[in-house]
Amino acid sequence: MREKIVVANWKMNGSLKHCREWAAGFAELPKPQQARTVVCAPFVYLTEIGRLMMPIGIEIGAEDVNENPSGAYTGEISAGMLADVGCRWCIVGHSERRQLFGETDNRVAMKALAAVKAGLRPIVCVGETLAERESGATERVILRQLTAVLSVLSPKDLGAIAYEPVWAIGTGKSATPNVAQAVHSAIRQRVAQVNAEAAQTLPILYGGSVKPESAASLFAQADIDGGLVGGAALDPVSFHAIVMAADALR
Ligand code: 13P
């Protein structure tokens, strides 16, 4: 069976106080037996959350990374720096980065490659907008985004793929389990064209309004191996409930 992973994406939220209260709140709750738990947080908090969360079994990750190893890129953070402060994971190609900061498929692929070279597991986000879904372009868009990454990296180097339909992010309208499963299956088939064995072990996470109430039915789908959680991950009790929904699937 594939590993189950639940990843928090805090986005640009929180404070040192929030980090400390969150870690203390999560530490009081029962430990998952098998689901991997990852918190991706703003760069400035990574050292502190690593100190607080690694001892309670949570791995840490960044929300983005620069594709260059070092140099004159004022304000940017390299994958090596992330590994240096204890990150194991890094989100790349989140739709907010693609839409608000103009990240292209090619740049996302370069970021994923930089993460792998530094020993991080990239979580590559793909997803269609509402207009793309309504015009029947969902699969074409997702496969285009995926192909860019697969042209520079072997599937076995990927940490996870996250399917995040843009219309489901922060809207409270999660994709239904069937709709999400259909896309996850298409993603796995595309990966299998490159490496059938890696496709079977690659975790494919769903993101977009995952809540404690919706998590179990999403994670029960054959090709949904966990979640990438935004809003509900800001509260340790809600996030823990989502982790336990993944943990219960053995
Ligand atoms: P929400 O869970 O708030 O919809 O955010 C999803 C997301 O973008 C995670 O990366």
Side-chain angles (χ1 to χ4, degrees):
M1 195 165 152
R2 278 184 293 274
E3 66 179 335
K4 300 283 177 198
I5 310 177
V6 182
V7 183
N9 175 11
W10 282 0
K11 309 193 180 184
M12 197 173 74
N13 294 296
S15 61
L16 267 184
K17 182 167 177 277
H18 173 257
C19 294
R20 290 172 184 152
E21 288 174 358
W22 196 105
F26 197 91
E28 282 175 10
L29 301 166
K31 268 201 167 43
Q33 296 299 302
Q34 57 138 35
R36 248 177 211 253
T37 311
V38 180
V39 172
C40 294
F43 295 128
V44 290
Y45 298 132
L46 290 172
T47 302
E48 179 69 357
I49 68 162
R51 187 182 71 79
L52 295 167
M53 296 189 191
M54 286 193 279
I56 57 169
I58 298 177
E59 295 171 33
I60 65 166
E63 299 175 8
D64 184 30
V65 65
N66 187 275
E67 62 273 36
N68 297 290
S70 64
Y73 302 100
T74 301
E76 293 293 284
I77 306 281
S78 74
M81 293 170 183
L82 296 176
D84 197 23
V85 296
C87 286
R88 305 272 304 275
W89 299 82
C90 181
I91 298 171
V92 297
H94 192 279
S95 64
E96 288 149 18
R97 302 285 329 161
R98 293 178 189 263
Q99 292 199 322
L100 304 174
F101 301 97
E103 289 191 11
T104 60
D105 292 340
N106 182 49
R107 184 144 187 237
V108 171
M110 291 301 133
K111 288 180 174 214
L113 180 62
V116 170
K117 282 186 177 164
L120 302 175
R121 296 182 72 182
I123 301 165
V124 178
C125 299
V126 297
E128 81 288 5
T129 63
L130 187 58
E132 287 163 343
R133 172 158 286 270
E134 285 176 345
S135 68
T138 298
E139 214 167 290
R140 182 169 55 74
V141 168
I142 280 151
L143 297 185
R144 188 201 74 219
Q145 294 170 336
L146 196 55
T147 298
V149 172
L150 294 176
S151 68
V152 299
L153 274 177
S154 158
K156 64 180 171 20
D157 292 328
L158 296 174
I161 292 172
Y163 169 53
E164 296 209 311
V166 179
W167 46 270
I169 295 177
T171 58
K173 283 191 217 139
S174 166
T176 62
N178 285 344
V179 163
Q181 165 59 25
V183 178
H184 281 233
S185 165
I187 291 172
R188 200 174 305 284
Q189 283 172 32
R190 174 68 186 87
V191 175
Q193 289 171 356
V194 181
N195 184 329
E197 206 180 312
Q200 282 317 307
T201 54
L202 178 66
I204 306 179
L205 314 180
Y206 169 79
S209 297
V210 178
K211 306 288 177 218
E213 311 80 62
S214 59
S217 58
L218 285 162
F219 300 165
Q221 299 299 309
D223 290 295
I224 303 185
D225 307 309
L228 180 54
V229 187
L234 292 171
D235 172 50
V237 175
S238 297
F239 183 66
H240 180 268
I242 296 170
V243 173
M244 293 319 257
D247 199 52
L249 294 166
R250 272 175 233 160

